[in-house]
Amino acid sequence: MRDLAQAAAATTWAEAPVDVRVRVVELVGDVLAVTAFGSARAELVELTNALATTTPVGAATVVGSARGWPAATAGFLNGCAVAADQLQDGHRLARGHPASHTVPAALAVAEEHGSTVGEFLSAVLAGYEVGTRLGQAMGGTPTGVHDIGTWGQVAASVATARLVAPGDADAMRRAIELSAAAVLLTDAGTVFTGWSGSHAFLGLSVQHGLTAGLAAAAGLRPAPGSLDRHFMAVAGRTPRAVEATAGRWEVLAGYVKAYPTCAHLHGVHEAVDALLAEGVDAKQVDAVDVAVFAGAAGFNGVADSELAARFSIPTTVAIAIWTGRLDESTLTAQQVADPAVRELAGRVRVVHDPELDAGYPHGRPARVTITLSDGTTRSATVGRPRWDADRWPAPAELAAKRDRLLTTRFGVGARPLITALSALDPEAPIRDVGALFRAAAD
């Protein structure tokens, strides 16, 4: 714990290697664009409007809102939006979404405290590095518990402490242990079956972690040893010692999403993409057989809603084949309900192949075989999906996703945002970035 807290307190974006600095900036742009896109969902617009009637004006930004908000509320609402379309970032070995927790927390606190962009980036990096180390040490979560609200919450606390108590290892240790002592255990069933309440899970995790970080910086502390004695005992599946290894940057081992679905499905999607690139006439598809590892085999039902479709192999495969691609523009309620898509989804068979289990969590292995009406078959196999760690997207690819999502949300108002996020000035006030988001929403 001492080594972990000291490393987090000393983490400085400007002193990190070049590839780490670039990766953090790319993640910030991706998370904020995904947040912007998610903020347009009807249920989140309604939630924001409801909270606006009772929440005073503050210094922090809610993406998609033109007014200012208190930091805790801004962190909550932005956290709700970032996970809503299953486009958020992740870390495969930690099994969760680090930047999606740290960026909303750090943005809200940094704006409220008048921090620079560089200080904000340092907080994002510190939270990412601690959170992913805890996630790997947990060895997964107990059956029925989703990763959101576990180590991601602690990561939000670390980001907060890095901003309000820079260089203070004691405050950082309190932040880690206090957050660990009050861990959220969120319901995997609500997430995986597509209920809108799951939006709140990441939002609450950010809000809870942010508040615990502020409390810890102010001096509040739990009983010593809460990380091992409580957090790992209730939130970890097969816990082991946390590694505070110097010189290893976990941010370089994360992923961003090319598809708007649960990451367990991404190997399937890439395999389908490879087959579609060869030319497949949807009307000639007789059957689709999908073999996956154990963790993905349960996503085998035909979805009845757009949210549930983000966790459905049959429905997303059918949409991809029928429309020619799977992205945020095709995974819609209209496509999910389309009779042709539903009929095709009913001919997608999902099976667990034990031989693929060895490829997880190092990848998301899948094998997809399409049988055409003339009896011929085409097959493709994927191990680690694209846009993950060593298959990180080219800068232009990731920028295209960011710019597309921002433009979809804000139209021409996205142009100043795109310019700013393309070249963040570490010396500038982070409030300048927030101001651009508010102007775009006005």
Side-chain angles (χ1 to χ4, degrees):
M1 172 58 75
R2 180 181 64 253
D3 292 345
L4 193 68
Q6 288 177 343
T11 296
T12 302
W13 175 83
E15 297 176 0
V18 173
D19 55 349
V20 171
R21 297 201 304 271
V22 170
R23 183 63 54 87
V24 173
V25 171
E26 288 180 325
L27 280 168
V28 166
D30 187 75
V31 169
L32 291 177
V34 168
T35 302
F37 187 78
S39 72
R41 296 186 67 94
E43 65 269 27
L44 294 182
V45 171
E46 185 174 349
L47 174 62
T48 301
N49 290 340
L51 290 180
T53 62
T54 58
T55 305
V57 172
T61 298
V62 169
V63 176
S65 170
R67 55 162 283 182
W69 298 76
T73 310
F76 169 67
L77 288 172
N78 289 334
C80 288
V82 73
D85 295 291
Q86 286 299 306
L87 280 164
Q88 75 274 36
D89 83 296
H91 189 285
R92 186 173 13 84
L93 297 181
R95 310 184 199 201
H97 311 287
S100 295
H101 285 81
T102 59
V103 171
L107 177 64
V109 175
E111 284 189 283
E112 197 162 72
H113 284 256
S115 304
T116 65
V117 168
E119 291 166 333
F120 159 73
L121 295 173
S122 296
V124 170
L125 180 57
Y128 194 109
E129 294 299 313
V130 171
T132 50
R133 283 168 168 77
L134 296 184
Q136 291 176 78
M138 289 165 60
T141 54
T143 300
V145 176
H146 196 275
D147 55 82
I148 288 175
T150 56
W151 61 262
Q153 173 196 305
V154 182
S157 296
V158 169
T160 300
R162 178 62 184 79
L163 283 164
V164 301
D168 188 337
D170 289 336
M172 184 62 72
R173 180 168 184 161
R174 292 194 301 271
I176 294 170
E177 292 217 301
L178 184 61
S179 196
V183 59
L184 293 174
L185 300 175
T186 50
D187 174 36
T190 296
V191 178
F192 292 149
T193 53
W195 292 90
S196 60
S198 65
H199 302 337
F201 290 174
L202 203 148
L204 289 169
S205 180
V206 171
Q207 186 180 56
H208 200 48
L210 183 161
T211 305
L214 292 174
L220 275 67
R221 64 181 70 231
S226 61
L227 182 65
D228 292 325
R229 175 178 42 78
H230 179 70
F231 179 88
M232 289 297 177
V234 303
R237 178 183 287 271
T238 55
R240 57 177 174 80
V242 178
E243 296 181 6
T245 308
R248 188 186 78 218
W249 294 97
E250 292 296 338
V251 73
L252 298 178
Y255 65 82
V256 287
K257 288 187 175 182
Y259 307 99
T261 63
C262 174
H264 281 347
L265 280 59
H266 285 203
V268 175
H269 300 328
E270 186 176 349
V272 171
D273 274 354
L275 295 174
L276 292 176
E278 297 176 3
V280 173
D281 183 350
K283 295 180 181 179
Q284 299 301 313
V285 173
D286 186 58
V288 183
D289 290 284
V290 180
V292 291
F293 61 102
F299 300 103
N300 59 354
V302 177
D304 290 324
S305 72
E306 166 260 327
L307 282 176
R310 300 177 192 276
F311 302 90
S312 166
I313 291 174
T315 298
T316 52
V317 166
I319 290 174
I321 292 173
W322 196 254
T323 66
R325 68 183 190 280
L326 182 70
D327 60 22
E328 74 281 353
S329 70
T330 61
L331 208 169
T332 63
Q334 182 179 4
Q335 288 293 343
V336 171
D338 187 306
V341 168
R342 293 186 63 81
E343 194 278 331
L344 179 55
R347 290 185 275 120
V348 176
R349 298 183 292 250
V350 180
V351 298
H352 169 217
D353 182 348
E355 292 186 359
L356 296 178
D357 289 346
Y360 176 81
H362 297 282
R364 302 282 198 262
R367 184 177 60 256
V368 177
T369 302
I370 293 178
T371 301
L372 300 176
S373 55
D374 62 4
T376 60
T377 62
R378 299 179 185 178
S379 185
T381 302
V382 170
R384 182 159 30 240
R386 65 191 182 103
W387 292 24
D388 186 348
D390 55 329
R391 300 190 64 198
W392 191 260
E397 284 186 286
L398 193 54
K401 174 191 172 185
R402 178 199 66 203
D403 299 351
R404 184 178 72 245
L405 296 179
L406 288 171
T407 301
T408 300
R409 181 65 174 93
F410 298 123
V412 295
R415 291 174 184 170
L417 280 168
I418 291 170
T419 300
L421 294 175
S422 297
L424 286 172
D425 178 2
E427 302 300 323
I430 190 64
R431 287 176 179 170
D432 289 356
V433 177
L436 291 174
F437 273 101
R438 294 189 212 184
D442 195 355

Coordinates of all heavy atoms in Angstrom, one line a residue, residues 267-276 278 280 284-292 313 317 321 344 347-351 353 356 366-372 375-382:
G267 N -14.6 -10.1 -30.4 CA -14.0 -11.0 -31.2 C -14.9 -11.5 -32.3 O -14.6 -11.7 -33.5
V268 N -16.2 -11.7 -31.9 CA -17.3 -12.2 -32.8 C -17.5 -11.1 -33.9 O -17.5 -11.4 -35.1 CB -18.6 -12.4 -32.0 CG1 -19.7 -12.7 -33.0 CG2 -18.4 -13.5 -31.0
H269 N -17.5 -9.8 -33.4 CA -17.8 -8.8 -34.4 C -16.7 -8.6 -35.4 O -16.9 -8.4 -36.6 CB -18.0 -7.4 -33.7 CG -19.1 -7.4 -32.7 ND1 -20.2 -8.1 -32.9 CD2 -19.2 -6.7 -31.5 CE1 -21.0 -7.9 -31.9 NE2 -20.5 -7.1 -31.0
E270 N -15.4 -8.8 -35.0 CA -14.3 -8.6 -35.9 C -14.3 -9.8 -36.9 O -14.0 -9.6 -38.1 CB -13.0 -8.6 -35.2 CG -11.9 -8.3 -36.1 CD -10.5 -8.1 -35.5 OE1 -10.5 -7.9 -34.2 OE2 -9.5 -8.0 -36.2
A271 N -14.7 -11.0 -36.4 CA -14.8 -12.1 -37.3 C -15.8 -11.9 -38.4 O -15.7 -12.2 -39.6 CB -15.0 -13.4 -36.5
V272 N -17.0 -11.4 -38.0 CA -18.1 -11.1 -38.9 C -17.6 -10.0 -39.9 O -17.9 -10.2 -41.1 CB -19.3 -10.6 -38.1 CG1 -20.4 -10.1 -39.1 CG2 -19.9 -11.8 -37.3
D273 N -16.9 -9.0 -39.4 CA -16.4 -8.0 -40.3 C -15.5 -8.6 -41.4 O -15.6 -8.2 -42.6 CB -15.6 -6.9 -39.5 CG -16.5 -5.8 -39.0 OD1 -17.7 -5.8 -39.3 OD2 -15.9 -5.0 -38.2
A274 N -14.7 -9.5 -41.0 CA -13.8 -10.2 -42.0 C -14.5 -10.9 -43.0 O -14.2 -10.9 -44.2 CB -12.8 -11.1 -41.2
L275 N -15.6 -11.6 -42.6 CA -16.5 -12.3 -43.6 C -17.2 -11.4 -44.5 O -17.4 -11.6 -45.7 CB -17.4 -13.2 -42.8 CG -16.7 -14.4 -42.0 CD1 -17.7 -15.1 -41.2 CD2 -16.0 -15.3 -43.0
L276 N -17.7 -10.3 -43.9 CA -18.4 -9.3 -44.7 C -17.5 -8.6 -45.8 O -18.0 -8.3 -46.9 CB -19.1 -8.2 -43.8 CG -20.2 -8.7 -42.9 CD1 -20.6 -7.5 -42.0 CD2 -21.4 -9.2 -43.7
E278 N -15.4 -10.1 -47.4 CA -15.3 -11.0 -48.6 C -16.5 -10.9 -49.5 O -16.5 -11.4 -50.6 CB -15.1 -12.4 -48.1 CG -13.9 -12.7 -47.3 CD -13.8 -14.1 -46.7 OE1 -14.8 -14.8 -47.0 OE2 -12.9 -14.4 -46.0
V280 N -20.8 -10.8 -48.6 CA -21.8 -11.7 -48.1 C -23.2 -11.1 -48.4 O -23.5 -10.0 -48.0 CB -21.7 -12.0 -46.6 CG1 -22.9 -12.8 -46.1 CG2 -20.4 -12.8 -46.3
Q284 N -28.8 -14.5 -48.7 CA -28.3 -15.9 -49.0 C -27.8 -16.6 -47.8 O -27.3 -17.7 -47.9 CB -27.2 -15.8 -50.1 CG -27.6 -15.2 -51.4 CD -28.8 -15.9 -52.0 OE1 -28.7 -17.2 -52.1 NE2 -29.8 -15.2 -52.5
V285 N -27.8 -16.0 -46.6 CA -27.3 -16.6 -45.4 C -28.3 -17.6 -44.8 O -29.5 -17.2 -44.5 CB -27.0 -15.5 -44.3 CG1 -26.6 -16.2 -43.0 CG2 -25.8 -14.6 -44.8
D286 N -27.9 -18.8 -44.7 CA -28.8 -19.8 -44.2 C -28.7 -20.0 -42.7 O -29.7 -20.2 -42.0 CB -28.5 -21.2 -44.9 CG -29.5 -22.3 -44.5 OD1 -30.7 -22.1 -44.8 OD2 -29.1 -23.3 -43.9
A287 N -27.5 -19.9 -42.2 CA -27.2 -20.1 -40.8 C -25.9 -19.4 -40.4 O -25.0 -19.3 -41.3 CB -27.2 -21.5 -40.4
V288 N -25.7 -19.1 -39.1 CA -24.5 -18.5 -38.6 C -24.2 -19.3 -37.4 O -25.0 -19.3 -36.4 CB -24.5 -17.0 -38.3 CG1 -23.2 -16.5 -37.9 CG2 -25.0 -16.3 -39.6
D289 N -23.0 -19.9 -37.3 CA -22.5 -20.6 -36.1 C -21.4 -19.8 -35.5 O -20.4 -19.5 -36.1 CB -22.1 -22.0 -36.5 CG -23.2 -22.9 -36.9 OD1 -24.0 -23.4 -36.0 OD2 -23.4 -23.1 -38.1
V290 N -21.6 -19.5 -34.2 CA -20.6 -18.7 -33.5 C -20.1 -19.6 -32.3 O -20.8 -20.0 -31.4 CB -21.2 -17.4 -32.9 CG1 -20.2 -16.6 -32.2 CG2 -21.8 -16.6 -34.1
A291 N -18.8 -19.8 -32.3 CA -18.1 -20.5 -31.2 C -17.3 -19.5 -30.3 O -16.6 -18.7 -30.9 CB -17.2 -21.6 -31.7
V292 N -17.5 -19.5 -29.0 CA -16.9 -18.5 -28.2 C -16.3 -19.1 -26.9 O -16.6 -20.3 -26.6 CB -17.9 -17.4 -27.8 CG1 -18.2 -16.5 -29.0 CG2 -19.1 -18.0 -27.2
I313 N -25.2 -11.7 -28.9 CA -24.5 -12.1 -30.1 C -25.4 -12.3 -31.2 O -25.1 -11.8 -32.3 CB -23.7 -13.4 -29.8 CG1 -22.5 -13.1 -28.8 CG2 -23.1 -14.0 -31.0 CD1 -21.8 -14.3 -28.3
V317 N -24.9 -9.8 -34.5 CA -24.4 -10.5 -35.7 C -25.4 -10.3 -36.9 O -25.1 -10.0 -38.0 CB -24.2 -12.0 -35.5 CG1 -24.0 -12.7 -36.8 CG2 -23.0 -12.2 -34.6
I321 N -24.7 -8.3 -40.4 CA -24.9 -9.0 -41.7 C -26.0 -8.3 -42.6 O -25.8 -8.0 -43.8 CB -25.3 -10.4 -41.5 CG1 -24.1 -11.2 -40.9 CG2 -25.7 -11.1 -42.9 CD1 -24.4 -12.6 -40.6
L344 N -33.3 -13.4 -38.9 CA -31.9 -13.8 -39.1 C -31.2 -14.1 -37.8 O -30.5 -15.1 -37.6 CB -31.1 -12.7 -39.8 CG -29.6 -13.0 -40.1 CD1 -29.5 -14.3 -40.9 CD2 -29.0 -11.8 -40.9
R347 N -31.5 -17.5 -36.5 CA -30.7 -18.5 -37.2 C -29.2 -18.4 -36.8 O -28.3 -19.0 -37.5 CB -30.9 -18.4 -38.7 CG -32.3 -18.9 -39.1 CD -32.5 -18.9 -40.6 NE -32.8 -17.6 -41.1 CZ -32.1 -16.9 -42.0 NH1 -31.0 -17.4 -42.5 NH2 -32.6 -15.8 -42.5
V348 N -28.9 -17.6 -35.8 CA -27.5 -17.5 -35.3 C -27.4 -18.4 -34.1 O -28.1 -18.3 -33.1 CB -27.2 -16.1 -34.9 CG1 -25.8 -16.0 -34.3 CG2 -27.3 -15.2 -36.1
R349 N -26.5 -19.4 -34.1 CA -26.3 -20.4 -33.1 C -25.0 -20.1 -32.3 O -24.0 -20.0 -33.0 CB -26.3 -21.8 -33.6 CG -27.6 -22.2 -34.3 CD -27.5 -23.7 -34.8 NE -26.6 -23.9 -35.9 CZ -26.9 -24.1 -37.1 NH1 -28.2 -24.2 -37.5 NH2 -26.0 -24.3 -38.0
V350 N -25.1 -20.0 -31.0 CA -23.9 -19.7 -30.2 C -23.6 -20.9 -29.4 O -24.5 -21.4 -28.7 CB -24.2 -18.4 -29.3 CG1 -23.0 -18.1 -28.4 CG2 -24.6 -17.2 -30.1
V351 N -22.3 -21.3 -29.4 CA -21.9 -22.4 -28.6 C -20.6 -22.1 -27.9 O -19.8 -21.3 -28.4 CB -21.7 -23.7 -29.5 CG1 -23.0 -24.1 -30.1 CG2 -20.6 -23.5 -30.5
D353 N -17.0 -23.2 -26.9 CA -15.9 -24.1 -27.3 C -14.9 -24.0 -26.3 O -14.1 -23.0 -26.1 CB -15.4 -23.6 -28.7 CG -14.3 -24.5 -29.2 OD1 -13.8 -25.4 -28.4 OD2 -13.9 -24.4 -30.4
L356 N -11.4 -22.5 -26.7 CA -11.2 -21.1 -26.8 C -11.0 -20.4 -25.4 O -10.6 -19.3 -25.4 CB -12.4 -20.4 -27.5 CG -12.6 -20.8 -29.0 CD1 -13.9 -20.1 -29.5 CD2 -11.4 -20.5 -29.8
A366 N -13.0 -15.9 -30.8 CA -14.3 -16.3 -31.4 C -14.1 -16.9 -32.8 O -13.1 -16.5 -33.4 CB -15.2 -15.1 -31.5
R367 N -14.9 -17.8 -33.2 CA -14.9 -18.4 -34.5 C -16.3 -18.3 -35.1 O -17.3 -18.7 -34.5 CB -14.5 -19.8 -34.5 CG -14.3 -20.5 -35.9 CD -13.8 -21.9 -35.8 NE -14.7 -22.8 -35.0 CZ -14.4 -23.2 -33.7 NH1 -13.3 -22.8 -33.1 NH2 -15.2 -24.0 -33.1
V368 N -16.5 -17.7 -36.2 CA -17.8 -17.5 -36.9 C -17.8 -18.2 -38.2 O -16.9 -18.0 -39.0 CB -18.1 -16.0 -37.0 CG1 -19.4 -15.8 -37.8 CG2 -18.1 -15.2 -35.7
T369 N -18.8 -19.0 -38.4 CA -19.0 -19.7 -39.7 C -20.3 -19.4 -40.3 O -21.4 -19.5 -39.6 CB -18.9 -21.2 -39.5 OG1 -17.6 -21.5 -38.9 CG2 -19.0 -22.0 -40.8
I370 N -20.4 -18.9 -41.5 CA -21.6 -18.5 -42.2 C -21.9 -19.6 -43.2 O -21.0 -20.0 -44.0 CB -21.5 -17.2 -42.9 CG1 -21.4 -16.1 -41.8 CG2 -22.7 -16.9 -43.8 CD1 -21.3 -14.7 -42.4
T371 N -23.1 -20.2 -43.1 CA -23.5 -21.2 -44.2 C -24.5 -20.5 -45.1 O -25.5 -19.9 -44.7 CB -24.2 -22.4 -43.5 OG1 -23.2 -23.0 -42.6 CG2 -24.6 -23.4 -44.5
L372 N -24.1 -20.5 -46.4 CA -25.0 -19.9 -47.4 C -26.0 -20.9 -47.9 O -25.9 -22.1 -47.7 CB -24.1 -19.4 -48.5 CG -23.1 -18.3 -48.1 CD1 -22.2 -18.0 -49.3 CD2 -23.7 -17.1 -47.5
G375 N -25.1 -24.1 -49.7 CA -24.4 -25.1 -48.9 C -23.0 -24.8 -48.6 O -22.3 -25.5 -47.8
T376 N -22.4 -23.7 -49.3 CA -21.0 -23.4 -49.0 C -20.9 -22.7 -47.7 O -21.9 -22.1 -47.2 CB -20.5 -22.5 -50.1 OG1 -21.3 -21.3 -50.2 CG2 -20.5 -23.2 -51.5
T377 N -19.7 -22.7 -47.1 CA -19.5 -22.1 -45.8 C -18.3 -21.2 -45.9 O -17.3 -21.4 -46.7 CB -19.2 -23.1 -44.7 OG1 -18.1 -23.9 -45.0 CG2 -20.4 -24.0 -44.5
R378 N -18.3 -20.2 -45.0 CA -17.1 -19.3 -44.9 C -16.9 -19.1 -43.4 O -17.8 -18.9 -42.6 CB -17.4 -17.9 -45.5 CG -17.7 -18.0 -47.0 CD -18.0 -16.6 -47.6 NE -18.3 -16.7 -49.0 CZ -18.7 -15.6 -49.7 NH1 -18.7 -14.4 -49.2 NH2 -19.0 -15.8 -51.0
S379 N -15.6 -19.1 -43.0 CA -15.3 -19.0 -41.6 C -14.2 -18.1 -41.3 O -13.3 -17.9 -42.1 CB -14.9 -20.4 -41.1 OG -14.7 -20.4 -39.7
A380 N -14.2 -17.4 -40.1 CA -13.1 -16.5 -39.7 C -13.0 -16.7 -38.2 O -13.9 -16.9 -37.4 CB -13.5 -15.1 -40.0
T381 N -11.7 -16.6 -37.7 CA -11.4 -16.7 -36.3 C -10.6 -15.5 -35.8 O -9.7 -15.0 -36.6 CB -10.6 -18.0 -36.1 OG1 -11.3 -19.1 -36.5 CG2 -10.2 -18.2 -34.6
V382 N -10.9 -15.0 -34.6 CA -10.2 -13.9 -34.1 C -9.8 -14.2 -32.6 O -10.6 -14.8 -31.9 CB -11.1 -12.6 -34.1 CG1 -10.5 -11.5 -33.3 CG2 -11.4 -12.1 -35.5

